[in-house]
Amino acid sequence: MELTKNFEPAAIETRWTDHWKEKGYFNSTPDERPAFTVVIPPPNVTGVLHMGHTLNETVQDILVRRARMSGYNACWVPGSDHASIATEAKVVQMLKEKGIDKNALTREEFLKYAFEWKEKYGGIIYNQIERLGCSVDWNRVNFTMDDHYYKAVIKVFIDLYNKGLIYRGARMINWDPAAKTALSDEEVEYREVQSKLYYVQYKLDGQDGFITIATTRPETILGDTAICVNPNDERYQHLKGAYAFVPLINRRIPIIFDEYVDMEFGTGALKITPAHDINDYNLGLKHNLEVIDTLNEDGTLSAAAQLYVGEDRFDVRKKIVIDLEKAGNLVKTEDIINKNGFSQRSNAVVEPRISTQWFVKMKPLAEPALKAVVDGDIKIHPGDRFLATYKYWLENVKDWCISRQLWWGQQIPAWYAPDGTFVVAENKEEAFSQWSKVNREPANGIDHLPFTIDDLKQDNDVLDTWFSSWLWPSEVFHGITNPGNADINYYYPTSVLVTGQDIIFFWVARMVMAGLEYEKEIPFKDVYFTGMVRDKLGRKMSKSLGNSPDLLNLIDMYGADAVRFGIMIAAPAGNDLLFDESSLEQGRNFNNKMWNALKLIRMWQTNPNGISEATGIEPDAASAWMQHRIAQAKAEMESLFKEFRLSEGLKTLYSLIWDDFCSWYLEWQKPAFGAPTSQAKLLATIGFFEELLQLLHPYMPFITEEIYHLLREQKDDLSVKQYAAAEPADDAILAQGDLLKQTITTIRDARVKNNIKPKEAVTLFVQTAQPQIYNNLASILQRQANVDAISITEEAVDKCINVMVGKDKLFIQPATELDTSIQKEQLEKDLQYLQGFLVSVEKKLGNERFVQNAKPEVVDIERRKKADAEEKIKAIEESLKSL
């Protein structure tokens, strides 16, 4: 097969994707092997993979592929989330474009459109996951609105209700006026915004003068039911028992006193609007104030506002400021920066609103979930930062508002009688049966129900999306709907959860709660938090900024392996990464480097001078070094994976392949001009390349599988080839290889500095305590540094370039007469530097406090530095004398 100039990924990726699927390598069923289970954090069904997802899925695939190649039965479950608010908004928009109003549809008609939308767009994200090379089990795809999953959610709701952990009540909640639904506290994102502080005066009742308040929300003035001041504030002592009038509508309201008020903010007087602020609401309860809700569910003003009815809240803000000024009530305005709450789903400014909703009591569920992490049953990576966040959330947990005023989602299984009373049951028949039991005469079994089963009405609301996804690690294996089945017993608890740090409480903590409640066991053993992917300017990626690239476009441009490389090379666990397409170019260059290595080996295999068979034992220092260098890297990779330091692992392999294998080893083993290829070296090289490809495969699956099969005929595929047990690396052989690299580099540098042409051969004399090593390396040194002869010497050699490699002195003798002035100048510079360095080390060692307080090993390092510097100074001084 003729190899292309560069690696061309498109066709190769398709071919290997199809091959792996056809072989069923990624499908998992329980067997005798240990399980390695990962459940994909379910992306929104109508969404697309952004760069954060790309990082997340790549990390999961690396872990899963490595486990599969390490003797585990790896199972990676894909799926998607129905994303109630986001999906319903998209469906409503689609209907609007067709001229259909959601309110004109029945619930069943709307859900039909929603499922059609899901079928049309839900596959996009799965295609992206496949294109990225993710080795998921496509036979196990789950969707949070699948029949079994829907039943699981309803079952859990009923169970928690019967345990007294779910209740219905009127509370002040977060309201999304765009999506027209309640939100949990965690779904509100607070951001600093440029605002104005309006100073407004309220006329006092029965006396001259005004009381002035400061507010950022003048549109809510119409719902004011009191003004509050601090009882310790001397400015307002005369107003005890007084009243004032709300501007524009002249509602008479009391002036109350409470230490809650901050005397330093604004004027020290606070307008109280119990319907539209949580703190005002609590003050209203305490002081028995009237609640006037001036906002409709869509953020327009209600009839209770009296003015601006039906107009948007932000339009009213502009208008009421003008009207207050005209009426003489606006004193002044100031520019300020304050924090506003935004809906994470719709980006609308959230309104506090009193509403009857369903809640989960979180404290009883949170305590065991906190203990599981604090006790170390679940390990968080990186633990130093995110363990504290996890603890904070669970130690300060609030009840969870789980009802949403939507149609897309699991409908709350509460059934209402005509009088408004309700029961919680799986279906209407069971609900009616419950009422019948309560209202039946014990003696004769006669029902006394004033209504029929047809009069029962189910709660219109659906459950929060997170109320379904907290069951994910269990219900993807039908653990809730079919407890104790073979899959849940084998795959649960899962091995590791890979997710973003922004949903520690939304999802991670709640899954721990649900897992402990329903499986009586933690849902995962490790949690790996990926960082936030930002653009190269450090900004969060978003559509509005236009800085979030399209994943499929990147794959088309660079190839999936290069995208995976680019996102991982700069992704230390938990830290934000600055995404730059140059890292993808680096990945593409790495592909081409390996491709060129394959082409070089192909040239050796088709050498016109033939292939020489090995006779006897062929000493090969380069092969020995490469063998032990790979063994060293294997041990390092093992350690890095245990610590979830995957980015560092990729850097280790990148350096091993690019530098050690391609730049050094292949150059050392290349047949001399006109000479045949050594069969022993060829076979060793192919074997090393195969090992390197196997190590790299979890990171870059396509190119590694392709090159692996192009090297020679293989019995197995790389994606399921098992890693061999690691052999210990020989430090002496590794040191010999490092010495060889340093010696070649030093001789080449000396050539450049002394204007010796590359083609001009030199003679090398080495003054060393390890002559045998230089004898072993002689053949490689001669070819790589163009040395015609190497001799061991016990004394300095005149008329040579003098350099040092470690403690060894090298005397390089060119064929032509040497201009010693260049070398003398360089040696004097080196001497000056070393003398200065020695002074600084001696100063440190002369400091008694340092020697007494520093760790013994640190002091030893400084002493070794001193001895090394003294030895090098002595050698340079001798070299200068010989010049």
Side-chain angles (χ1 to χ4, degrees):
M1 174 186 166
E2 184 72 26
L3 295 179
T4 55
K5 180 183 177 184
N6 291 320
F7 177 65
E8 295 176 0
I12 289 166
E13 289 172 3
T14 302
R15 176 158 45 81
W16 283 115
T17 297
D18 293 343
H19 175 80
W20 294 329
K21 284 173 75 175
E22 185 184 324
K23 290 285 186 180
Y25 288 148
F26 310 145
N27 300 340
S28 176
T29 52
D31 61 24
E32 69 287 348
R33 292 173 295 168
F36 185 90
T37 316
V38 175
V39 292
I40 203 166
N44 288 0
V45 69
T46 58
V48 293
L49 291 188
H50 52 61
M51 296 316 294
H53 287 126
T54 304
L55 170 60
N56 201 290
E57 319 305 16
T58 302
V59 167
Q60 289 173 82
D61 195 44
I62 290 165
L63 294 170
V64 169
R65 284 183 181 271
R66 186 172 170 87
R68 190 180 291 117
M69 298 165 75
S70 302
Y72 289 90
N73 183 353
C75 178
W76 186 11
V77 180
S80 55
D81 189 286
H82 66 279
S84 54
I85 296 176
T87 304
E88 180 148 330
K90 289 191 175 185
V91 176
V92 168
Q93 182 59 36
M94 178 267 290
L95 291 171
K96 194 179 288 183
E97 288 167 5
K98 290 183 175 181
I100 302 171
D101 182 358
K102 172 196 168 184
N103 299 314
L105 300 174
T106 64
R107 189 184 199 108
E108 289 69 29
E109 288 169 340
F110 177 81
L111 289 176
K112 185 169 176 285
Y113 281 115
F115 273 106
E116 284 174 3
W117 172 274
K118 177 254 177 184
E119 291 305 317
K120 184 174 180 181
Y121 295 100
I124 293 173
I125 211 151
Y126 293 148
N127 173 249
Q128 290 177 313
I129 289 170
E130 185 169 273
R131 286 285 308 277
L132 193 58
C134 296
S135 58
V136 299
D137 183 349
W138 290 114
N139 292 339
R140 292 185 176 274
V141 176
N142 275 260
F143 175 49
T144 52
M145 286 280 280
D146 285 342
D147 286 346
H148 77 93
Y149 210 106
Y150 196 110
K151 288 174 183 173
V153 174
I154 299 304
K155 182 178 178 181
V156 166
F157 181 95
I158 294 169
D159 178 66
L160 292 177
Y161 178 79
N162 290 335
K163 289 174 178 174
L165 292 175
I166 285 181
Y167 65 92
R168 185 171 184 260
R171 300 282 186 280
M172 178 154 277
I173 50 91
N174 302 295
W175 183 263
D176 182 336
K180 298 179 189 174
T181 182
L183 301 172
S184 67
D185 290 343
E186 295 74 39
E187 289 170 302
V188 180
E189 185 178 289
Y190 289 91
R191 303 179 209 146
E192 286 191 342
V193 292
Q194 190 73 43
S195 297
K196 288 187 182 298
L197 188 63
Y198 300 91
Y199 289 78
V200 181
Q201 58 183 8
Y202 291 51
K203 190 174 186 327
L204 296 170
D205 181 26
Q207 56 183 293
D208 292 336
F210 296 83
I211 183 169
T212 302
I213 59 92
T215 180
T216 57
R217 304 194 62 199
E219 70 277 9
T220 62
I221 282 173
L222 305 173
D224 288 354
T225 56
I227 291 172
C228 189
V229 295
N230 194 301
N232 302 312
D233 196 329
E234 294 295 333
R235 292 172 294 177
Y236 301 113
Q237 294 301 312
H238 67 291
L239 293 179
K240 284 182 179 173
Y243 285 78
F245 292 101
V246 176
L248 304 182
I249 56 173
N250 291 323
R251 180 187 301 121
R252 186 173 178 267
I253 57 174
I255 296 171
I256 61 174
F257 289 75
D258 197 289
E259 290 187 343
Y260 164 77
V261 178
D262 180 359
M263 292 187 288
E264 303 302 319
F265 179 78
T267 63
L270 188 70
K271 65 189 272 315
I272 306 299
T273 320
H276 300 296
D277 182 274
I278 183 62
N279 298 311
D280 290 10
Y281 175 71
N282 291 330
L283 280 170
L285 290 175
K286 184 176 177 181
H287 294 275
N288 197 27
L289 298 176
E290 184 184 3
V291 177
I292 301 172
D293 187 352
T294 60
L295 288 175
N296 295 314
E297 64 176 18
D298 61 355
T300 58
L301 266 69
S302 69
Q306 301 181 46
L307 303 174
Y308 318 107
V309 176
E311 296 185 49
D312 182 78
R313 55 189 168 150
F314 294 119
D315 293 337
V316 171
R317 181 177 297 178
K318 295 172 188 172
K319 288 184 178 181
I320 200 170
V321 168
I322 295 169
D323 292 343
L324 287 168
E325 190 169 19
K326 284 180 183 174
N329 294 101
L330 184 66
V331 178
K332 63 175 179 176
T333 62
E334 291 177 357
D335 290 328
I336 64 163
I337 291 174
N338 70 334
K339 282 191 173 181
N340 278 0
F342 292 82
S343 166
Q344 286 193 336
R345 303 297 187 183
S346 71
N347 205 37
V349 175
V350 169
E351 284 291 344
R353 192 170 196 229
I354 299 165
S355 178
T356 300
Q357 303 289 340
W358 292 87
F359 297 86
V360 178
K361 290 180 184 175
M362 295 299 280
K363 210 156 190 61
L365 295 169
E367 285 168 1
L370 177 60
K371 187 175 185 294
V373 171
V374 171
D375 290 355
D377 299 333
I378 298 172
K379 292 182 176 59
I380 291 176
H381 309 273
D384 52 342
R385 285 169 55 198
F386 298 116
L387 177 59
T389 306
Y390 182 93
K391 284 177 66 179
Y392 174 81
W393 275 108
L394 269 70
E395 286 169 352
N396 297 277
V397 71
K398 296 177 184 175
D399 286 357
W400 174 16
C401 176
I402 55 170
S403 44
R404 298 291 179 270
Q405 289 62 54
L406 303 164
W407 282 353
W408 177 243
Q410 290 91 3
Q411 193 172 356
I412 291 173
W415 304 84
Y416 296 85
D419 65 356
T421 57
F422 68 89
V423 296
V424 169
E426 186 177 346
N427 51 51
K428 186 183 281 190
E429 289 71 26
E430 190 183 319
F432 193 71
S433 173
Q434 283 189 38
W435 255 302
S436 298
K437 288 173 186 173
V438 171
N439 292 276
R440 179 167 291 182
E441 282 186 16
N444 54 28
I446 298 171
D447 291 340
H448 292 281
L449 283 175
F451 55 86
T452 68
I453 191 170
D454 294 329
D455 293 322
L456 293 182
K457 295 288 181 279
Q458 188 173 357
D459 197 305
N460 270 322
D461 293 352
V462 298
L463 289 159
D464 179 12
T465 298
W466 298 105
F467 193 85
S468 57
S469 55
W470 74 328
L471 308 177
W472 190 250
S474 171
E475 188 50 33
V476 294
F477 300 113
H478 298 246
I480 304 292
T481 47
N482 184 17
N485 70 75
D487 276 3
I488 194 72
N489 288 343
Y490 180 74
Y491 292 114
Y492 188 98
T494 65
S495 305
V496 58
L497 174 74
V498 180
T499 188
Q501 56 195 271
D502 52 334
I503 52 174
I504 289 178
F505 185 72
F506 274 126
W507 194 45
V508 179
R510 287 172 182 163
M511 281 192 289
V512 178
M513 296 177 200
L516 291 170
E517 181 72 17
Y518 290 101
E519 300 300 336
K520 308 306 176 190
E521 200 171 357
I522 55 172
F524 26 73
K525 304 177 188 89
D526 290 279
V527 181
Y528 176 106
F529 285 115
T530 56
M532 179 81 72
V533 182
R534 300 182 180 276
D535 67 13
K536 57 186 177 184
L537 299 176
R539 300 175 302 177
K540 188 175 178 180
M541 288 188 166
S542 68
K543 285 182 183 177
S544 59
L545 288 174
N547 62 351
S548 184
D550 181 282
L551 174 60
L552 294 185
N553 286 347
L554 292 178
I555 292 174
D556 289 341
M557 196 179 308
Y558 297 98
D561 289 321
V563 171
R564 291 165 66 113
F565 175 96
I567 201 87
M568 284 305 302
I569 201 71
N575 291 342
D576 289 358
L577 70 95
L578 302 182
F579 177 76
D580 190 338
E581 279 197 38
S582 63
S583 63
L584 274 61
E585 290 172 17
Q586 186 183 0
R588 182 167 59 189
N589 293 340
F590 188 32
N591 280 340
N592 289 331
K593 186 76 171 178
M594 291 186 284
W595 194 248
N596 288 335
L598 168 66
K599 288 160 74 174
L600 181 65
I601 293 168
R602 279 286 187 87
M603 287 169 62
W604 297 359
Q605 291 170 322
T606 57
N607 188 343
N609 299 300
I611 297 176
S612 65
E613 292 192 16
T615 54
I617 299 172
E618 186 174 337
D620 184 1
S623 292
W625 172 74
M626 196 68 230
Q627 176 188 338
H628 288 275
R629 182 68 189 88
I630 292 173
Q632 182 189 40
K634 280 183 177 179
E636 190 178 343
M637 292 297 292
E638 192 71 35
S639 172
L640 290 171
F641 265 84
K642 281 178 183 172
E643 297 170 10
F644 290 88
R645 293 165 60 194
L646 307 191
S647 181
E648 289 92 330
L650 179 56
K651 289 171 184 173
T652 295
L653 293 178
Y654 177 71
S655 175
L656 177 66
I657 294 170
W658 189 294
D659 297 329
D660 293 334
F661 182 70
C662 294
S663 299
W664 288 111
Y665 173 79
L666 290 181
E667 286 299 312
W668 295 347
Q669 298 295 56
K670 192 163 56 178
F673 181 74
T677 300
S678 161
Q679 186 182 49
K681 290 180 179 179
L682 175 62
L683 292 176
T685 300
I686 291 172
F688 295 146
F689 205 0
E690 287 172 344
E691 283 191 83
L692 294 171
L693 293 169
Q694 190 181 17
L695 287 172
L696 184 64
H697 180 77
Y699 290 93
M700 303 174 76
F702 294 109
I703 188 168
T704 50
E705 189 80 85
E706 179 72 3
I707 293 178
Y708 177 72
H709 285 275
L710 290 174
L711 278 170
R712 59 180 165 186
E713 192 172 332
Q714 304 289 359
K715 294 178 182 176
D716 48 20
D717 288 326
L718 196 55
S719 55
V720 290
K721 183 180 172 70
Q722 298 300 293
Y723 290 119
E727 298 289 334
D730 187 319
D731 289 340
I733 292 174
L734 290 171
Q736 185 172 295
D738 288 341
L739 178 66
L740 178 57
K741 291 193 289 183
Q742 289 174 44
T743 305
I744 292 168
T745 302
T746 301
I747 294 172
R748 287 174 177 171
D749 287 348
R751 281 177 168 277
V752 172
K753 287 173 183 174
N754 290 275
N755 299 321
I756 301 172
K757 294 176 182 175
K759 290 186 177 181
E760 184 181 332
V762 296
T763 303
L764 179 65
F765 300 93
V766 185
Q767 190 176 352
T768 179
Q770 44 189 0
Q772 187 55 46
I773 291 179
Y774 281 92
N775 290 332
N776 293 344
L777 305 177
S779 63
I780 298 174
L781 265 175
Q782 285 178 292
R783 283 190 293 122
Q784 293 293 305
N786 195 8
V787 175
D788 59 6
I790 299 175
S791 302
I792 304 299
T793 181
E794 292 184 2
E795 54 188 29
V797 181
D798 292 339
K799 296 182 180 178
C800 289
I801 302 165
N802 304 342
V803 290
M804 292 193 73
V805 175
K807 294 181 180 180
D808 299 336
K809 296 175 186 175
L810 273 54
F811 303 96
I812 305 165
Q813 189 177 75
T816 55
E817 190 174 341
L818 182 67
D819 179 1
T820 58
S821 62
I822 298 171
Q823 191 188 1
K824 186 178 180 182
E825 185 182 340
Q826 183 61 47
L827 285 170
E828 285 171 344
K829 279 183 185 175
D830 293 345
L831 180 63
Q832 188 178 1
Y833 167 77
L834 284 166
Q835 286 169 336
F837 177 75
L838 181 60
V839 168
S840 67
V841 174
E842 286 176 334
K843 188 176 180 182
K844 193 179 282 187
L845 289 170
N847 183 336
E848 286 185 22
R849 188 178 293 177
F850 168 75
V851 175
Q852 288 171 1
N853 297 333
K855 291 180 180 178
E857 57 267 30
V858 173
V859 178
D860 286 344
I861 289 170
E862 293 303 315
R863 285 176 178 149
R864 285 201 297 273
K865 284 180 184 177
K866 178 177 181 288
D868 187 50
E870 287 172 337
E871 197 169 336
K872 286 180 177 176
I873 287 169
K874 184 181 175 185
I876 290 174
E877 286 173 342
E878 287 176 2
S879 296
L880 284 167
K881 282 178 187 175
S882 70
L883 288 175

